[in-house]
Amino acid sequence: MASSGATPEPSTSTTDDAARTGIGVVGSPAGNQSEQPVRPNNHVQRIQLRKKQVSNWPHSKKLLKLAIYSACQGDSCKCNGWKAPTPPARSPRADSTQPLANFTDPCRCCTHDLRSHVTHLESIDENDLNKLLGMVVDVENIFMAMHKEEDEETKRVYFYLFKLLRKCIMANTTPTTSEGPLGQPPFETPSIHRAVSNFVLLKYAHATQREYSTMSDLAKMFLHCLNHWNFEAPSVKKNTLSTEDFSLYKIHYTRWLVFCHIPAFCDSFPHSETTQVFGRSLLRYVFKSVKRQLKEKIKNEKNRMPHEKRYLLLNNFPRFLAQLEEEIYAVSSPIWDVDFKHELPAHLQHLQPHDPKVVMGVRRPGEFEKLMVMPNDKEQFTTINLTPGIGKKHGRPETGAALEPHAKRARIEDSCDDVSDQTIAQIIATINDPSCMAGPEAVFPENAPRDAAVKVEESKGLIRFHVVGNSLSQSVSKQTMLWLIALQNVFSHQLPRMPKEYITRLVFDPKHRTLALIKDNRAIGGICFRMFPEQGFTEIVFLAVTSNEQVKGYGTHLMNHLKDYHIRKNVLHFLTFADEFAIGYFKKQGFSKDIRLPRGCYQGYIKDYEGASLMHCEIDPRIVYTEFTAVVRKQKEIIKKLIEQRQQEVQKIHPGLTCFRDGVRSIPVESIPGILETGWKPAARSTRALQHSPEESHDHDTLQQTLRQVLNTIKGHSSAWPFLKPVDKNEVPDYYEHIKYPMDLKTMADRLKSHYYTTRRLFIADMTRIFTNCRLYNSPDTEYYRCATVLEKYFQTKMKELGLWDK
């Protein structure tokens, strides 16, 4: 929620404790009698919270905890762990207070006191002590999981890791699982991840862009499920596998437990993704069971899915799984070739991957969020300075490249035939030369941008911008905490209709970050937000500046800094719920109620608010937003100088036109005397389009080919999904009672094949009817209505580009 005037609905879905998969499947503990995908929960978060709490204990309490797992340091004593004194004969009352152990209590095993078990730990560094305590928390969790486990094979693996971790605690060493008989990952080449990527390239590289993107999304969904799936224990598969296969599956299962499953909640051990370290052998053992249960889960939950996701999973996912199954069980399939190479065709080159870990490289807003995000991936920082030249950036080394201030961005090479680079350079030198600046504009510029004064304050160091946030897995500085408290106060005062408890919970939530405006070393305003990088968008939750610092342009500069920060993070969409008082501000910052982000990307990830409107802003990665107004103003000055130069070159004065006195109603623009000498050029529609339009040339084949190109482009648009086929009477019973002349893209494709469209006007009429019908049946606040508006604008643009639109 971006400002006051809206109250969060308690009943709406949220991802505070869990992210959503593409299917919403529910899981069960490892080792159960059936394979199930893991249901995302806050188990990992609770473990991290427990470690955080333990690390904040007093030093003496930490030593008391570690004594249980530490060997006695007495001379010739072989006791490997302190044991509590003999308990009382009768159990104490449940409500009585149990006495805590102290350093003078004797050990039941060696009779030495407790201090003799921790003398070697009293002088070690606090960070090393916290590391040992984290391993203790993991030991206790493994112990509990081991006792809950019913499968004997799985229980033995837990016991092996339990002993290994206890030994590492006593020896104060880092645990490793790659030196044992199981080997070290990866275990098979190519991996499941690479094979599925090869499969999508092999089957869909020559399909339309929409189909390729759809199958890439399904591939990501499938791999995501495998990475969080609980596989069947070997004892369950014993009767269905041969002796050789059973032995091999047993090895795979043990490796999966040790390297993938257990490290997901016990981060003392190194964690690997299942699809990155396993290959064809494991996938053959589990694919049929996974496929069957995924289909069942989709069938059971289809009524709770949004329309577009239900269409995707019910119509495309079964086909995807069936084709993948053929390649998995085929005797020889190219997707498992380590030297597999397949180039994308030209129309899909822009989808070429930049990150090799992204399936098929389609890093687009449709990606889903990871279910189990470990702290090292989730909490990249607590404080980052965004003000250039002031202070240092606090972050982990792996994020350094993403935090470079104002990194260079791609530029579009424009062809400027009439203006040379030398001329532009001379004009810029003139604009920047103080001696050439005269008049009041030199001191008091006309219509100065709102953030001009703010940028001057920032350059002088009077204000700073920091991205701050809380953390459960690393220490947070006192200064950062003070800023967070100040921000909580600012939001509470400026947004009186929002509950203070709700504001506090989100500001201090480790999954939320706040861009803070710092003045005189205190926070006077900020933007609280939560990033969903896998979904490609960020939700802006709160935005406020303290009342005595408003109307100074701080809000605009805050938003510009936030946009630049997200460009470096490759997150290019903002969503926010704005009340009636904030809508005007967000419109000035480029937000619109026209949501161009597919609903499936954000539905279920952000909360709905009463009395507020959802607004969307798409960021252009080629723009440096903190310098945007200065660049635009400089461009205007350059254009003015170019006009002045051209006016000096064209000095000839032509007589006025007299043809209109003789009754002429209109004349071509190019016939005006002197117009061509000024550099004017005819518009594309006035020359090329009129002369070479397929309809005007009576070339029926060319017209058919052009219309087919337009139709395929429209069908591939992200907003075309509601119009791809006729409306189903079973899903919308009353549709045909209201719409007497229905139309859809499939019907238009059939008409195009039968050569129905002899003129472009027939084609335009049918396409327009699709959008008219949609707006007639659906209300303006629906996703279908918005899709019709977006697609109609896109259709008109494409027709104008081809010279087929003259309205």
Side-chain angles (χ1 to χ4, degrees):
M1 183 59 200
S3 78
S4 62
T7 304
E9 294 180 356
S11 61
T12 53
S13 61
T14 176
T15 55
D16 282 348
D17 294 325
R20 268 59 173 174
T21 62
I23 303 174
V25 285
V26 179
S28 60
N32 282 8
Q33 299 304 306
S34 63
E35 295 180 0
Q36 290 289 342
V38 177
R39 178 176 180 262
N41 52 47
N42 58 358
H43 179 55
V44 176
Q45 188 176 358
R46 286 199 301 268
I47 294 175
Q48 293 303 320
L49 181 60
R50 171 63 175 167
K51 290 184 178 181
K52 180 69 173 179
Q53 293 170 345
V54 170
S55 66
N56 291 328
W57 282 355
H59 188 76
S60 58
K61 190 175 181 181
K62 293 180 181 180
L63 293 179
L64 288 172
K65 183 71 174 178
L66 288 170
I68 303 174
Y69 300 91
S70 301
C72 183
Q73 303 300 307
D75 295 337
S76 69
C77 184
K78 298 182 179 179
C79 176
N80 63 357
W82 183 77
K83 307 295 188 298
T86 305
R90 297 180 61 185
S91 299
R93 292 175 55 189
D95 58 350
S96 63
T97 303
Q98 295 294 322
L100 297 176
N102 57 67
F103 287 112
T104 60
D105 288 343
C107 176
R108 277 191 295 163
C109 181
C110 65
T111 69
H112 292 121
D113 60 18
L114 176 58
R115 188 175 297 280
S116 64
H117 285 257
V118 293
T119 53
H120 65 296
L121 299 176
E122 291 178 346
S123 60
I124 70 171
D125 183 76
E126 195 70 20
N127 291 331
D128 293 336
L129 202 64
N130 291 337
K131 180 181 176 182
L132 288 173
L133 286 168
M135 293 165 64
V136 168
V137 174
D138 286 336
V139 161
E140 294 172 348
N141 284 311
I142 292 177
F143 184 79
M144 293 174 60
M146 178 176 64
H147 278 272
K148 291 179 181 179
E149 184 58 53
E150 299 178 357
D151 182 75
E152 292 300 323
E153 293 287 344
T154 307
K155 184 173 289 191
R156 277 194 286 269
V157 175
Y158 277 112
F159 185 60
Y160 163 74
L161 294 179
F162 172 78
K163 292 194 300 181
L164 175 62
L165 202 53
R166 280 213 57 178
K167 187 181 298 183
C168 290
I169 294 174
M170 284 193 293
N172 193 10
T173 57
T174 302
T176 178
T177 53
S178 59
E179 297 178 356
L182 295 175
Q184 58 183 358
F187 305 111
E188 297 180 84
T189 305
S191 65
I192 297 174
H193 187 286
R194 174 47 51 199
V196 174
S197 300
N198 295 342
F199 164 75
V200 177
L201 273 175
L202 179 69
K203 293 292 186 180
Y204 304 105
H206 298 288
T208 63
Q209 176 181 335
R210 177 177 177 80
E211 185 176 13
Y212 178 84
S213 298
T214 298
M215 291 304 171
S216 296
D217 287 342
L218 292 176
K220 290 177 227 163
M221 186 184 300
F222 174 73
L223 292 174
H224 180 76
C225 290
L226 281 184
N227 283 329
H228 302 92
W229 200 274
N230 283 338
F231 297 118
E232 291 176 333
S235 57
V236 179
K237 287 184 171 287
K238 187 173 183 179
N239 297 328
T240 61
L241 297 174
S242 64
T243 304
E244 182 180 356
D245 287 339
F246 175 74
S247 300
L248 185 57
Y249 180 73
K250 187 176 179 180
I251 295 173
H252 283 321
Y253 180 77
T254 305
R255 285 172 168 171
W256 170 75
L257 282 176
V258 172
F259 293 94
C260 303
H261 179 68
I262 296 176
F265 64 88
C266 174
D267 61 1
S268 296
F269 296 109
H271 176 258
S272 300
E273 295 283 359
T274 304
T275 58
Q276 296 285 355
V277 298
F278 291 99
R280 187 176 192 177
S281 180
L282 176 66
L283 189 58
R284 280 186 164 185
Y285 290 131
V286 303
F287 180 80
K288 291 184 178 179
S289 177
V290 171
K291 173 187 172 184
R292 182 185 70 255
Q293 294 180 53
L294 279 177
K295 286 186 173 181
E296 291 176 357
K297 206 65 187 178
I298 293 171
K299 183 179 179 180
N300 294 335
E301 297 189 1
K302 65 179 181 180
N303 293 330
R304 297 196 295 270
M305 297 179 189
H307 175 77
E308 58 271 20
K309 186 171 291 184
R310 181 167 66 247
Y311 178 84
L312 176 70
L313 294 177
L314 293 179
N315 292 274
N316 295 308
F317 202 42
R319 177 164 61 98
F320 172 85
L321 292 176
Q323 293 179 343
L324 180 59
E325 183 175 14
E326 294 178 2
E327 301 298 327
I328 293 173
Y329 295 102
V331 177
S332 177
S333 173
I335 70 171
W336 301 102
D337 187 354
V338 293
D339 299 321
F340 178 90
K341 291 183 179 179
H342 201 297
E343 296 294 333
L344 284 175
H347 70 288
L348 297 177
Q349 284 295 330
H350 65 288
L351 299 179
Q352 189 68 24
H354 299 288
D355 182 359
K357 292 185 179 181
V358 179
V359 182
M360 295 319 305
V362 189
R363 179 81 176 183
R364 49 192 297 274
E367 291 183 355
F368 41 76
E369 185 178 10
K370 292 181 179 178
L371 285 181
M372 306 181 75
V373 183
M374 301 308 294
N376 289 344
D377 298 327
K378 181 175 62 176
E379 298 173 6
Q380 299 288 349
F381 54 82
T382 58
T383 307
I384 292 179
N385 173 37
L386 297 185
T387 301
I390 301 176
K392 295 181 179 179
K393 296 179 180 179
H394 303 276
R396 299 190 177 184
E398 61 265 27
T399 62
L403 302 177
E404 290 297 326
H406 302 315
K408 293 181 180 179
R409 302 183 188 152
R411 294 182 300 173
I412 295 179
E413 296 295 335
D414 296 324
S415 58
C416 299
D417 300 333
D418 53 342
V419 181
S420 64
D421 294 338
Q422 183 179 2
T423 304
I424 297 296
Q426 292 174 353
I427 294 175
I428 293 177
T430 303
I431 294 173
N432 296 332
D433 187 1
S435 61
C436 298
M437 298 180 184
E441 291 81 6
V443 181
F444 305 103
E446 184 181 3
N447 298 325
R450 288 178 56 83
D451 61 345
V454 182
K455 291 170 65 175
V456 173
E457 290 186 30
E458 185 179 14
S459 64
K460 293 180 179 180
L462 300 178
I463 60 173
R464 292 173 291 157
F465 295 87
H466 295 269
V467 176
V468 296
N470 198 8
S471 174
L472 294 178
S473 65
Q474 56 180 302
S475 60
V476 182
S477 68
K478 180 180 179 180
Q479 181 63 78
T480 298
M481 273 299 174
L482 291 175
W483 285 342
L484 287 173
I485 294 171
L487 288 166
Q488 186 266 347
N489 289 332
V490 171
F491 292 142
S492 298
H493 282 89
Q494 299 303 122
L495 310 176
R497 298 177 64 182
M498 298 296 292
K500 290 186 178 180
E501 296 80 5
Y502 179 71
I503 293 175
T504 304
R505 179 165 66 87
L506 294 192
V507 170
F508 289 93
D509 178 17
K511 288 172 285 192
H512 288 72
R513 295 286 179 260
T514 304
L515 174 59
L517 169 60
I518 308 300
K519 188 174 185 179
D520 297 331
N521 206 33
R522 63 186 182 90
I524 64 170
I527 303 176
C528 182
F529 61 93
R530 180 178 178 184
M531 296 178 67
F532 295 90
E534 301 296 335
Q535 297 300 117
F537 78 93
T538 282
E539 179 189 14
I540 295 177
V541 188
F542 307 122
L543 188 156
V545 176
T546 187
S547 55
N548 61 334
E549 298 287 355
Q550 292 180 359
V551 201
K552 294 183 179 181
Y554 288 142
T556 298
H557 205 48
L558 269 169
M559 186 61 71
N560 288 338
H561 264 299
L562 189 67
K563 291 177 180 178
D564 285 344
Y565 173 76
H566 278 76
I567 288 173
R568 296 196 291 275
K569 292 291 186 180
N570 196 30
V571 178
L572 305 179
H573 295 271
F574 285 166
L575 288 175
T576 187
F577 277 93
D579 64 15
E580 56 181 339
F581 304 106
I583 289 177
Y585 164 81
F586 281 107
K587 284 185 176 180
K588 293 178 182 178
Q589 308 306 320
F591 284 74
S592 169
K593 294 182 181 179
D594 181 15
I595 312 301
R596 296 181 297 278
L597 194 65
R599 189 179 185 85
C601 294
Y602 61 85
Q603 188 175 33
Y605 288 88
I606 64 176
K607 311 170 189 65
D608 292 327
Y609 294 85
E610 296 177 353
S613 302
L614 181 63
M615 301 189 74
H616 169 247
C617 175
E618 183 174 0
I619 309 171
D620 191 328
R622 296 167 296 178
I623 297 175
V624 180
Y625 282 91
T626 49
E627 302 295 333
F628 179 67
T629 53
V631 171
V632 171
R633 293 173 74 85
K634 186 164 290 187
Q635 289 174 342
K636 290 181 178 179
E637 293 296 327
I638 292 173
I639 293 174
K640 288 181 181 178
K641 293 293 182 182
L642 289 173
I643 293 174
E644 291 175 3
Q645 289 183 5
R646 185 54 59 89
Q647 286 176 341
Q648 293 175 3
E649 295 172 1
V650 184
Q651 294 291 341
K652 187 177 180 180
I653 300 176
H654 297 270
L657 298 174
T658 59
C659 58
F660 300 105
R661 297 177 182 175
D662 302 329
V664 177
R665 300 295 297 273
S666 63
I667 61 173
V669 178
E670 56 268 26
S671 66
I672 299 175
I675 192 69
L676 297 177
E677 286 82 349
T678 63
W680 178 86
K681 295 180 180 179
R685 175 64 188 160
S686 61
T687 57
R688 180 188 61 82
L690 288 175
Q691 295 174 5
H692 303 288
S693 173
E695 185 173 346
E696 276 77 1
S697 63
H698 302 287
D699 188 344
H700 182 72
D701 293 336
T702 303
L703 176 64
Q704 292 293 306
Q705 183 178 357
T706 305
L707 296 181
R708 187 177 297 108
Q709 176 186 348
V710 173
L711 186 60
N712 290 336
T713 305
I714 295 300
K715 291 167 68 176
H717 194 274
S718 60
S719 298
W721 59 267
F723 317 113
L724 293 176
K725 61 180 183 180
V727 176
D728 190 347
K729 291 183 179 179
N730 296 325
E731 294 184 4
V732 192
D734 65 335
Y735 181 81
Y736 293 96
E737 297 177 6
H738 299 276
I739 304 301
K740 302 302 181 183
Y741 303 100
M743 185 53 60
D744 59 275
L745 295 176
K746 183 179 182 301
T747 303
M748 290 188 66
D750 294 339
R751 288 188 169 189
L752 188 61
K753 290 180 182 178
S754 63
H755 301 281
Y756 168 80
Y757 299 116
T758 56
T759 67
R760 61 184 170 87
R761 290 183 177 84
L762 288 173
F763 183 80
I764 293 174
D766 276 357
M767 187 69 72
T768 304
R769 178 166 294 168
I770 294 177
F771 310 132
T772 304
N773 290 344
C774 179
R775 285 191 284 262
L776 179 63
Y777 184 79
N778 300 285
S779 59
D781 59 342
T782 61
E783 181 72 11
Y784 303 102
Y785 195 102
R786 287 192 287 268
C787 285
T789 302
V790 172
L791 196 62
E792 184 176 31
K793 293 179 180 177
Y794 182 72
F795 167 68
Q796 293 177 2
T797 301
K798 298 303 293 184
M799 295 293 283
K800 289 175 182 177
E801 289 177 358
L802 296 171
L804 296 176
W805 190 270
D806 56 0
K807 294 184 179 181

